[in-house]
Amino acid sequence: MTPGKIAIAGSTGRMGRALIEALAQAGDFQLKAALERTDNRFLGKDAGELVGAPCGVQISADLERSLAGCDVLVDFTRPEATLKHVEICRGLGIRMVIGTTGFTPEQKKLISAASRDVAMVMAPNMSVGVNLTFRLIELAAQVLNEGYDVEIIEAHHRHKVDAPSGTALRMGEVIAQVLGRDLAECAVYGREGVTGERKPATIGFATVRGGDIVGDHTALFAGTGERVEITHRAASRATFALGALRAARFLAGKKSGLFDMQDVLGLR
C-alpha cells in the first residue's frame, strides 16, 4: 500500500508536533509538507527534529508549492489561516482534516461551500473518546429531559485563545438539539452579581484556563436529589493526533463532502 502523503499546517505548534510524532509511528502515512507562518523561527529546519526524529521534510511558508503532491492537509491553526488553506486546497483538490475551532457561522458556511469540491472532515475535537462522549450525552439528554438543569464545564491550558472551547459548544449543541432548544437563545456563558434564579431551559457554560491542562469537559445534569456527570479528560495531545489520522484514512477515495468524527467512527 502506498503511504498517504500528509501536510501539516501549524507544524511547530503543540498539535503540529503531536501530529509529526504520530506520523513517525504510523506505517500508512508519510509527512510530505510541514507548513508555518512566514515569521516562524523554525523555517528551513527539518520538521522531524521537533520530535527527535529527523525526516528530511523542511518547514516551509510556501503553501502552494509545499502542498503540491499532497493527499491531505491536517489543519489545527486559527480560523483566518484555515480559511486561506481551504481555498488553496479547494483549488488543488487536496482533502482536509480541520481541527481548528472558533469559526463564526459565516466562516463555517465558506468551508461548507468549499466541501462541494473537495472532501473534508471538520470536528471541534478529533479524540475518539470525546466523540463517544457526544453520543453518551445525547442519550443522557433523551432520558433526563425533564427536571434536570444542564451545565457544561471545560478547562484548558493558559494559551487557548477561544472560550468556551469548540468541544464544549458542541456538547451544548448536541444537548440542545435533543431537548428541542436553540443554543443561541438558551446558552448562558457567564454569571456575576445578582443573577436571579436559574431559568430551567438554559444551558450554562463555565470556563477554566490555566497551566498546561490539555482539555477537560464535563456535561452536568443536575436534578432533585441527584446529578449525572459525564466527563472526558485528555492527558495528551496524542489522542487528537491519532483521531486526525483516523479522519485522514476515512477521506481516502472521497472526492467531496463535509464530514465530522461521528461519520469517521460510524456513530451516525
Side-chain angles (χ1 to χ4, degrees):
M1 176 180 178
T2 302
K5 296 178 181 178
I6 299 284
I8 297 175
S11 57
T12 69
R14 289 177 293 274
M15 267 309 304
R17 295 180 189 223
L19 285 161
I20 292 171
E21 192 165 10
L23 279 172
Q25 299 174 20
D28 55 342
F29 288 115
Q30 86 178 65
L31 181 63
K32 176 70 167 56
L35 307 174
E36 265 301 346
R37 298 183 305 181
T38 55
D39 60 350
N40 189 277
R41 65 191 177 95
F42 292 105
L43 288 179
K45 302 290 187 183
D46 188 306
E49 290 180 0
L50 296 172
V51 297
C55 62
V57 176
Q58 290 187 336
I59 298 167
S60 173
D62 189 338
L63 294 176
E64 295 200 38
R65 185 172 182 180
S66 297
L67 287 172
C70 291
D71 297 310
V72 182
L73 171 64
V74 182
D75 190 328
F76 285 78
T77 57
R78 301 282 178 86
E80 294 74 19
T82 298
L83 289 174
K84 180 179 178 181
H85 301 158
V86 164
E87 283 309 305
I88 293 174
C89 287
R90 186 181 194 178
L92 296 174
I94 296 171
R95 304 173 187 92
M96 289 189 71
V97 174
I98 301 174
T100 304
T101 60
F103 292 109
T104 65
E106 292 73 23
Q107 290 172 327
K108 289 180 180 178
K109 288 179 182 177
L110 293 174
I111 293 172
S112 180
S115 73
R116 292 196 288 266
D117 298 316
V118 65
M120 303 179 183
V121 171
M122 183 170 73
N125 195 306
M126 296 286 171
S127 159
V128 172
V130 160
N131 283 277
L132 174 60
T133 300
F134 290 152
R135 284 299 303 270
L136 296 176
I137 64 174
E138 181 180 6
L139 175 61
Q142 291 170 357
V143 176
L144 308 176
N145 59 3
E146 289 184 13
Y148 290 82
D149 299 319
V150 180
E151 297 285 318
I152 296 170
I153 306 101
E154 60 101 340
H156 282 85
H157 53 87
R158 64 169 66 97
H159 302 292
K160 188 166 178 61
V161 298
D162 58 314
S165 70
T167 302
L169 290 172
R170 182 58 188 150
M171 283 181 159
E173 290 169 355
V174 169
I175 295 168
Q177 185 173 14
V178 171
L179 299 178
R181 303 174 192 171
D182 183 345
L183 188 64
E185 296 178 359
C186 69
V188 175
Y189 295 112
R191 297 186 178 97
E192 183 180 5
V194 181
T195 62
E197 291 189 5
R198 187 189 195 283
K199 294 180 181 178
T202 58
I203 295 177
F205 290 82
T207 297
V208 176
R209 293 287 178 269
D212 62 354
I213 302 169
V214 175
D216 295 352
H217 294 88
T218 296
L220 166 66
F221 297 83
T224 302
E226 67 176 0
R227 66 178 182 270
V228 175
E229 298 179 23
I230 300 174
T231 298
H232 178 275
R233 292 188 175 92
S236 166
R237 288 180 180 80
T239 184
F240 310 130
L242 293 173
L245 295 188
R246 195 160 172 173
R249 293 184 186 99
F250 171 84
L251 287 175
K254 291 183 171 57
K255 296 188 184 235
S256 62
L258 184 58
F259 307 93
D260 63 18
M261 286 300 289
Q262 300 292 303
D263 297 308
V264 173
L265 300 175
L267 295 174
R268 199 175 296 290

